Amino acid sequence: MHEIVYFNTPGFAEVSRFCLEMSGLQWKNTIVDWDGYLKMKEQGELPWGFLPIIRTPQGTVAESNALLRYTGALAGLEPEDLYMRAKVDELVEVINGWRESFTPTFSIEDLDEKMAARQALFATDGKMDRALKAISLVFEQSTTGWLANTESMSIADVKAFMDTFMLFSGQFDGITPDMLGNYPSLLAFHEKMSNEPMVKNYYDSDDEVRWVFRPNAFQDVGSSQHI
Ligand SMILES: N[C@@H](CCC(=O)N[C@@H](CS)C(=O)NCC(=O)O)C(=O)O
């Protein structure tokens, strides 16, 4: 049995939760709150002091990208060919770098300042604007329809889909769905991923923030760009 332990939000664990679901193995989704996190930390259950972790039959693994690779391999989302696997990893690392440009905004206490810092990242030529344009281009140039040119979905697609669109759920002050209007290819990637049967089934329920992973989530944004 595998068990992922994390907060309720998608955050750093959503990709691995999805991969475990795709693996078809039995798994447990354990949700903790801040007190639960502190307790685990005190009890020495977190190898590096952070969540998420995954408990496996052989022991605990920490660090979200290690979890992604492990659960992705279980789900068959890691190519066998080592060159292809490296190209998948290349994208995973690049996407991770984008997240790192966003996370420092969490520590800005003043709300207006925080929102302004985030909006600057998404303004033309801001770091996130360039990131979203880059992933759009990768999608446009793919010959297979999958970001790393794999024959089927890889962890690069899962990471790009979840780490990107979770930003637009409304849970992050200053980031709104209409900001996606400038990226039609990214919205096409959303349409492809959200309509994949496994993705579609997994998110076929109401959720305060996970609506962003459902088909047509950004339909209005897509059409408003032509106005
Ligand atoms: N490098 C870690 C970072 C994980 C991380 O920052 N986790 C946050 C929750 S999203 C956490 O445990 N925060 C607790 C704290 O900052 O004390 C990973 O990728 O797993």
Side-chain angles (χ1 to χ4, degrees), residues 6-7 11-12 34 37 41 49-52 62-65 99:
Y6 191 61
F7 303 103
F12 287 71
W34 189 253
Y37 157 73
K41 194 171 166 178
F50 294 106
L51 286 173
E63 283 299 309
S64 57
N65 286 332
R99 182 168 75 184

Side-chain angles (χ1 to χ4, degrees), residues 155-174:
I155 56 170
D157 299 291
V158 176
K159 179 139 176 112
F161 178 62
M162 296 187 180
D163 280 17
T164 303
F165 292 103
M166 77 166 74
L167 295 175
F168 298 91
S169 67
Q171 62 174 326
F172 301 115
D173 297 310

Side-chain angles (χ1 to χ4, degrees), residues 43-79:
Q43 291 173 344
E45 291 179 56
L46 306 179
W48 305 101
F50 294 106
L51 286 173
I53 56 158
I54 184 169
R55 294 189 175 118
T56 82
Q58 291 160 278
T60 296
V61 179
E63 283 299 309
S64 57
N65 286 332
L67 268 61
L68 172 61
R69 292 186 173 101
Y70 177 77
T71 56
L74 290 175
L77 297 175
E78 284 268 43

Side-chain angles (χ1 to χ4, degrees), residues 45-206:
E45 291 179 56
L46 306 179
W48 305 101
F50 294 106
L51 286 173
I53 56 158
I54 184 169
R55 294 189 175 118
T56 82
Q58 291 160 278
T60 296
V61 179
E63 283 299 309
S64 57
N65 286 332
L67 268 61
L68 172 61
R69 292 186 173 101
Y70 177 77
T71 56
L74 290 175
L77 297 175
E78 284 268 43
E80 293 285 318
D81 180 84
L82 289 185
Y83 171 76
M84 290 305 286
R85 190 177 288 213
K87 292 304 283 183
V88 166
D89 277 345
E90 179 183 314
L91 273 178
V92 166
E93 292 305 323
V94 166
I95 296 159
N96 214 52
W98 300 340
R99 182 168 75 184
E100 280 162 11
S101 64
F102 183 79
T103 41
T105 63
F106 283 100
S107 56
I108 303 175
E109 275 173 28
D110 182 81
L111 182 61
D112 289 336
E113 224 179 281
K114 181 188 287 202
M115 285 171 64
R118 287 181 177 163
Q119 280 156 4
L121 288 172
F122 285 88
T124 306
D125 260 349
K127 273 192 183 163
M128 290 307 295
D129 172 61
R130 278 189 269 139
L132 299 184
K133 282 178 181 150
I135 206 76
S136 301
L137 192 63
V138 168
F139 182 59
E140 284 163 21
Q141 292 180 340
S142 164
T143 51
T144 63
W146 302 107
L147 294 181
N149 278 316
T150 45
E151 288 305 319
S152 54
M153 189 194 291
S154 77
I155 56 170
D157 299 291
V158 176
K159 179 139 176 112
F161 178 62
M162 296 187 180
D163 280 17
T164 303
F165 292 103
M166 77 166 74
L167 295 175
F168 298 91
S169 67
Q171 62 174 326
F172 301 115
D173 297 310
I175 311 296
T176 51
D178 61 289
M179 289 165 128
L180 281 168
N182 292 332
Y183 314 99
S185 299
L186 193 64
L187 290 170
F189 174 64
H190 181 280
E191 191 178 339
K192 178 183 171 79
M193 286 296 288
S194 61
N195 281 293
E196 273 297 304
M198 281 297 297
V199 178
K200 202 171 168 178
N201 289 341
Y202 191 51
Y203 290 110
D204 188 20
S205 62
D206 274 336

